[in-house]
């Protein structure tokens, strides 16, 4: 076997398409047949595997999401389904995999390797930026810019009516998106799982904005806190401001990838292909302190992610 298959798994993230293109182009330049798997792990089981064409990747780099589509698969936990996936790869001469996703996707392919010795390289891709061992995951910069554009637009209408707006961001149990966009947008309040908050202290601090004509209050709340609706009611009742809740939802995953996500996707993908061809198997591509490197699965999937303490410290003043 002598082919590499590229696939995306779990939640989609801007930057996946640039990474797919880079992995395909780099594999081909090194004389390795590049294949793509559609529909993630489900597609691997069902044999949705195609030799990558120039037509597929020609206009891929500026597209958001993943043109290969994605899925989460309960069937992949079953040995017989993994065996079926292996047979599809064997029939096509594929002996290496590049997967973009998160901890669950990496663990799934590690189990696959333990069964059938098909090595993989993992590329961290999630807008939540909650994968341990790397400072950056594909899709984060694009999501941040989508959120900032939304907050800037909301601020215009908020000032027009002297209103407060609560903006709920995604991130699961991680407040990275909320913290970074609160800081970059000049938000008045930031509520995240990582920082205890004090509403009465916030109320005292915001007296100027509450009383000043033509002002507004912007609160950025991470979905993991589950307090967006409560904070909306509190601002209405305690601060006496007309308050609206805006849940950004999946719009944060969309949009054309930014220059940073295109470059990060390209760098991660070419390194993933190089790792596999240099027998650096079952490694996760990471970016730490400005440097690209490889990490073991256990050092990534086996650790708890923590937001950079400097970012947390900068946000403490917005939580009280």
């Amino acid at each position: 076997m002598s082919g590499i298959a590229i696939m995306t798994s779990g939640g989609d993230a801007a930057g996946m398409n640039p990474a797919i293109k880079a992995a395909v182009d780099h594999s081909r330049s090194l004389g390795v047949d590049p294949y793509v798997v559609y529909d993630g792990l489900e597609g691997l089981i069902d044999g949705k595997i195609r030799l990558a064409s120039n037509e597929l990747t020609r206009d891929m780099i500026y597209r958001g999401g993943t043109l290969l589509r994605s899925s989460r698969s309960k069937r992949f936990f079953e040995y017989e389904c993994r065996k079926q996936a292996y047979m599809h790869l064997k029939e096509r001469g594929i002996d290496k995999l590049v997967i973009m996703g998160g901890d669950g996707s990496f663990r799934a392919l590690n189990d696959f390797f333990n069964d059938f010795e098909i090595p993989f390289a993992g590329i961290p891709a999630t807008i939540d930026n909650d994968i341990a061992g790397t400072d950056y995951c594909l899709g984060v910069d694009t999501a941040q810019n989508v959120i900032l554009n939304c907050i800037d637009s909301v601020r215009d209408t908020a000032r027009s009516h002297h209103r407060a707006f609560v903006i709920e961001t995604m991130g699961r149990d991680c407040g990275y998106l909320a913290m970074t966009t609160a800081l970059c947008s000049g938000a008045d309040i930031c509520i995240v799982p990582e920082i205890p908050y004090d509403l009465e202290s916030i109320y005292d601090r915001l007296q100027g904005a509450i009383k000043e004509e033509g002002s507004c209050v912007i609160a950025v709340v991470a979905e993991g806190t589950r307090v967006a609706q409560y904070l909306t009611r509190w601002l209405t009742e305690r601060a006496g401001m007309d308050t609206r809740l805006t849940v950004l939802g999946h719009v944060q995953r969309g949009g054309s990838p930014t220059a940073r996500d295109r470059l990060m996707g390209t760098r991660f993908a070419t390194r993933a292909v190089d790792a596999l061809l240099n027998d650096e198997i079952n490694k996760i591509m990471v970016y730490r302190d400005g440097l690209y490197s490889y990490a073991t699965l256990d050092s990534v999937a086996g650790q708890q992610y923590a937001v950079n303490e400097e970012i947390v410290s900068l946000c403490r003043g917005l939580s009280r």
Side-chain angles (χ1 to χ4, degrees):
M1 295 194 283
S2 60
I4 290 181
I6 299 103
M7 60 188 297
T8 54
S9 180
D12 62 294
M16 283 182 164
N17 285 327
I20 294 164
K21 173 177 169 54
V24 167
D25 291 348
H26 192 52
S27 297
R28 190 180 288 125
S29 73
L30 297 174
V32 179
D33 291 334
Y35 291 81
V36 291
V37 180
Y38 288 89
D39 296 326
L41 296 173
E42 286 288 296
L44 197 62
I45 295 169
D46 295 332
K48 296 181 179 180
I49 304 167
R50 305 287 184 271
L51 188 65
S53 65
N54 290 326
E55 288 74 21
L56 171 68
T57 58
R58 182 177 295 123
D59 296 322
M60 179 176 271
I61 197 165
Y62 63 86
R63 302 282 295 275
T66 166
L67 293 183
L68 298 185
R69 303 186 299 270
S70 187
S71 69
R72 292 180 172 88
S73 176
K74 292 183 179 179
R75 288 196 296 159
F76 209 76
F77 290 106
E78 301 172 14
Y79 175 81
E80 287 303 319
C81 288
R82 293 198 298 274
K83 183 177 179 180
Q84 185 173 317
Y86 169 72
M87 296 306 297
H88 289 309
L89 295 177
K90 185 177 179 181
E91 289 167 3
R92 294 165 175 81
I94 299 168
D95 61 352
K96 301 175 183 65
L97 291 168
V98 172
I99 187 166
M100 302 167 209
D103 291 355
S105 302
F106 302 153
R107 288 188 182 279
L109 285 200
N110 191 59
D111 290 341
F112 193 58
F113 174 81
N114 291 335
D115 289 334
F116 305 107
E117 297 186 347
I118 300 292
F120 72 94
I123 296 175
T126 169
I127 69 168
D128 302 331
N129 208 42
D130 61 352
I131 296 178
T134 184
D135 294 335
Y136 192 80
C137 301
L138 286 188
V140 173
D141 190 65
T142 305
Q144 287 171 320
N145 279 280
V146 169
I147 295 167
L148 287 175
N149 286 335
C150 291
I151 294 175
D152 290 346
S153 297
V154 160
R155 190 185 295 277
D156 292 338
T157 186
R159 285 190 179 280
S160 298
H161 296 276
H162 186 56
R163 283 177 175 153
F165 271 82
V166 176
I167 313 294
E168 184 185 84
T169 66
M170 295 179 81
R172 293 192 299 184
D173 297 320
C174 175
Y176 182 86
L177 275 183
M179 282 188 267
T180 53
T181 54
L183 289 171
C184 292
S185 66
D188 304 288
I189 303 170
C190 181
I191 307 295
V192 293
E194 292 85 350
I195 305 174
Y197 63 89
D198 184 335
L199 292 183
E200 285 306 307
S201 178
I202 290 172
Y203 174 75
D204 292 339
R205 175 170 58 83
L206 294 181
Q207 283 303 300
I210 292 170
K211 296 176 181 178
E212 180 185 348
E213 292 183 358
S215 65
C216 66
V217 170
I218 301 295
V220 181
V221 180
E223 65 178 350
T225 62
R226 297 171 178 82
V227 300
Q229 291 187 351
Y230 173 76
L231 182 62
T232 303
R233 291 194 301 271
W234 180 86
L235 282 167
T236 300
E237 297 168 2
R238 183 72 175 94
M241 296 189 73
D242 183 11
T243 306
R244 305 297 170 89
L245 170 62
T246 299
V247 179
L248 298 182
H250 285 73
V251 68
Q252 296 159 91
R253 283 191 183 170
S256 181
T258 60
R260 187 181 189 196
D261 272 324
R262 297 183 197 197
L263 182 59
M264 294 295 290
T266 300
R267 297 290 298 276
F268 275 146
T270 53
R271 287 185 61 83
V273 171
D274 287 341
L276 287 170
L277 296 181
N278 291 321
D279 293 326
E280 293 280 355
I281 65 172
N282 302 357
K283 296 294 176 64
I284 312 303
M285 306 302 106
V286 295
Y287 181 76
R288 292 293 302 271
D289 301 322
L291 299 174
Y292 295 88
S293 60
Y294 307 143
T296 63
L297 178 66
D298 286 342
S299 68
V300 173
Q303 302 298 319
Q304 181 68 37
Y305 174 80
V307 178
N308 182 286
E309 184 54 39
E310 185 176 357
I311 293 175
V312 175
S313 179
L314 288 170
C315 284
R316 292 189 192 281
L318 299 178
S319 303
R320 56 176 182 254

